[in-house]
Amino acid sequence: MKLIFEKGAPGQHLTLMPPCDVPEVTLANPRTEPLDLPHVSETELTRHYSALAKRVHGVNDGFYPLGSCTMKYNPKINEEMAALPGFAQIHPLQPEETVQGCLEVLHESEKLLCEITGMDGMTFQPAAGAHGEFTGLLLIKAYHAHRDGPARTKIIVPDSAHGTNPASAVMAGFSVVNIPSGEDGCVDVDALRAAVGPDTAGLMLTNPNTVGIFDKNILEITRIVHEAGGLCYYDGANLNAVMGVVRPGDMGFDVIHLNLHKTFSTPHGGGGPGSGAVGCKEFLRQYLPGPVVVKDCEGYHFTKPEHSIGRMKDFYGNFLVVVRALAYVLTLGREGIPEAAKNAVLNANYMRKLLSEKYTMAYAGPCMHEFVMTLQDLKDATGCSAMDIAKGLLDHGIHPPTMYFPLIVHEALMIEPTETESQETMDEVCGVFLHLWDVAHNDPDVLHNAPTKTPVRRLDEVGAARNPVLRYTEE
Ligand SMILES: *Cc1c(COP(=O)(O)O)cnc(C)c1O
């Protein structure tokens, strides 16, 4: 397929700008060579992007069980709300009194999401989950710095954690202490006890964790960290497993982030926009990034918390992502939110059961919103790896699950159907998975050579990572 720059011919163009109706100004240093823009007509432009869009696989095209990423259907009404001119066509520098409705959205969203998570305050500035982790860790850092105690430099992270957790801890200036998981996929409590000390700043944990298991020792875990003087950080990227059912705040967590672009309705996967909203308990609110919205008898205002860690992003974060989240929470309501969570868990267990007819599960069930299979035995028996099965799925129009994560499981495939898939779709997909298991035994080369029906075949991923070509150079 040709790039847009390789199409068309000089002279072809489309008129994007209306004629100039203000006095023209001559720039001090005008460009001396013409800008190299594509020369295409409107028809050609439309066809080009339409052709590209057909090559993309998204949740609107088919099943997308990318574990830990929560690729679920996002109700279109939330898009309509975010497109309302009163939200979409404002300027971030407008005076407060002209955008009271938008401030109300931020304030209401904070209130509702705090209620769902068991937190007392929230910022919407961070643009993604990892950005939220970094922000939350800076809150923990500010808290310890303010207290003048021993230097607390270490963040404890279990080995099943999402890769962004240790990365964020290091970026926030902490060193990372890794602790192992037990056979059951939960935190090894004895290892945690041995790891905490006067230098512990905190613990980062996901519950349910990345292998889809709810840690039954959670209250003991957070108590151990608190008794050592540390704080507890909850990675709530995938809250759809528990929202409306249990609250991180009640499990003993002090700081959390939510991925509004996973759990609360904004489509994601294309690189943004996102929102890694960070919630905290009352005693940490004074450190939140500013501005935050407060309400008094005259309306809504922006203020800066007393000991704010400063700004994490310009203005108020990705505001329209918050609008979608609010629309989602309000449409589902007090009954719909726990129902969505329970359906996410039910769907995962349904698929887990069907697939365990042939595939080996990494951990004993039941699971929460996702589960991990290990294909090591299949690979030993047939030579077909988790990668081969994933590529085989592509030829059936199914997006592969998350592969080779978490690192503690060999030949891992991590499946998250989400609450928005029907039983019929899951039956069909499980049928394909079980069929591929047979193909691996009967005709493994089919899988070694897959995919054959996609626009590109098997990509050289290592080559792409080692020698990335990030810029188009004209011949
Ligand atoms: C997706 C995810 C993150 C990171 O979120 P980004 O928005 O991609 O930065 C962190 N933790 C968990 C458990 C996740 O699933």
Side-chain angles (χ1 to χ4, degrees):
M1 191 171 163
K2 282 186 178 173
L3 297 178
I4 190 84
F5 289 94
E6 296 164 327
K7 292 190 168 177
Q12 287 186 11
H13 65 280
L14 64 164
T15 310
L16 293 174
M17 298 287 202
C20 182
D21 60 358
V22 291
E24 285 191 29
V25 175
T26 312
L27 296 175
N29 293 305
R31 174 184 292 278
T32 50
E33 285 173 25
L35 193 58
D36 190 14
L37 294 172
H39 299 276
V40 289
S41 65
E42 186 167 335
T43 322
E44 209 155 7
L45 182 84
T46 308
R47 286 185 184 155
H48 179 74
Y49 286 106
S50 181
L52 275 178
K54 281 184 195 151
R55 292 182 162 207
V56 173
H57 184 95
V59 272
N60 289 347
D61 301 295
F63 194 63
Y64 206 140
L66 201 58
S68 194
C69 291
T70 314
M71 303 301 285
K72 66 181 181 181
Y73 176 78
N74 301 292
K76 296 293 172 265
I77 183 162
N78 303 337
E79 293 301 316
E80 282 172 35
M81 295 303 116
L84 290 174
F87 294 139
Q89 290 174 19
I90 49 167
H91 193 282
L93 292 177
Q94 261 177 252
E96 271 172 21
E97 62 273 17
T98 67
V99 284
Q100 283 290 303
C102 298
L103 270 63
E104 186 178 353
V105 165
L106 290 170
H107 195 258
E108 238 356 70
S109 305
E110 177 179 3
K111 208 174 80 190
L112 292 172
L113 291 170
C114 279
E115 187 177 335
I116 290 171
T117 53
M119 294 290 139
D120 300 311
M122 190 168 277
T123 171
F124 295 107
Q125 270 190 18
H131 198 191
E133 292 168 24
F134 181 60
T135 306
L137 288 162
L138 292 185
L139 298 183
I140 292 177
K141 198 172 188 174
Y143 165 80
H144 290 308
H146 214 87
R147 282 165 55 92
D148 248 4
R152 294 186 175 267
T153 54
K154 293 187 175 153
I155 293 284
I156 301 171
V157 182
D159 59 4
S160 64
H162 195 270
T164 50
N165 291 188
S168 302
V170 169
M171 276 194 70
F174 293 107
S175 56
V176 173
V177 181
N178 234 293
I179 52 165
S181 307
E183 291 261 303
D184 56 358
C186 297
V187 169
D188 181 336
V189 177
D190 290 331
L192 175 65
R193 255 193 218 102
V196 295
D199 56 358
T200 300
L203 165 82
M204 290 182 93
L205 200 69
T206 298
N207 192 32
N209 60 19
T210 59
V211 298
I213 295 183
F214 189 93
D215 205 311
K216 57 189 186 306
N217 302 317
I218 191 63
L219 291 176
E220 193 181 350
I221 290 168
T222 52
R223 193 177 57 236
I224 291 170
V225 176
H226 284 151
E227 278 172 6
L231 297 185
C232 296
Y233 182 96
Y234 182 88
D235 177 340
N238 314 104
L239 204 75
N240 57 333
V242 294
M243 59 182 183
V245 181
V246 290
R247 311 194 308 165
D250 300 334
M251 298 180 208
F253 288 94
D254 308 292
V255 195
I256 63 153
H257 84 264
L258 301 174
N259 277 19
L260 300 187
H261 50 291
K262 285 181 182 166
T263 306
F264 294 97
S265 177
T266 288
H268 72 111
S275 175
V278 171
C280 66
K281 292 276 184 165
E282 189 60 43
F283 70 97
L284 291 171
R285 285 181 86 170
Q286 54 179 315
Y287 306 112
L288 280 175
V292 293
V293 179
V294 291
K295 186 184 179 185
D296 64 20
C297 53
E298 280 161 33
Y300 298 94
H301 309 281
F302 286 121
T303 62
K304 193 168 164 217
E306 195 186 349
H307 299 291
S308 175
I309 56 167
R311 274 186 184 279
M312 296 306 294
K313 191 180 186 307
D314 38 6
F315 302 112
Y316 322 106
N318 287 323
F319 173 66
L320 295 177
V321 181
V322 184
V323 174
R324 289 187 188 87
L326 181 62
Y328 182 75
V329 170
L330 290 176
T331 23
L332 263 67
R334 204 171 273 282
E335 273 151 33
I337 287 179
E339 192 184 330
K342 287 172 189 168
N343 283 338
V345 173
L346 181 64
N347 281 359
N349 279 286
Y350 183 72
M351 282 194 70
R352 186 181 185 282
K353 177 80 178 127
L354 291 186
L355 294 180
S356 52
E357 183 192 328
K358 290 183 175 165
Y359 289 90
T360 307
M361 297 300 147
Y363 297 96
C367 62
M368 294 296 288
H369 62 305
E370 62 193 7
F371 58 95
V372 182
M373 315 198 288
T374 169
L375 277 67
Q376 188 62 51
D377 51 352
L378 183 76
K379 189 177 176 190
D380 293 343
T382 67
C384 288
S385 62
M387 173 76 86
D388 293 328
I389 295 286
K391 297 296 179 191
L393 287 168
L394 290 172
D395 280 337
H396 291 267
I398 297 170
H399 194 286
T402 297
M403 304 184 293
Y404 299 101
F405 177 77
L407 303 174
I408 48 177
V409 177
H410 294 291
E411 294 296 322
L413 286 184
M414 179 201 260
I415 298 177
E416 179 183 2
T418 81
E419 63 273 19
T420 56
E421 293 300 334
S422 68
Q423 185 176 359
E424 292 70 29
T425 303
M426 291 189 291
D427 284 342
E428 213 176 292
V429 169
C430 288
V432 173
F433 264 100
L434 297 173
H435 164 72
L436 293 181
W437 195 89
D438 292 338
V439 174
H441 285 85
N442 302 330
D443 198 356
D445 279 344
V446 169
L447 290 177
H448 294 320
N449 293 326
T452 56
K453 297 181 186 161
T454 46
V456 286
R457 300 284 302 271
R458 212 172 273 218
L459 299 170
D460 176 5
E461 289 166 6
V462 176
R466 295 271 154 79
N467 306 302
V469 181
L470 303 175
R471 191 168 185 281
Y472 170 67
T473 33
E474 239 164 315
E475 304 272 284

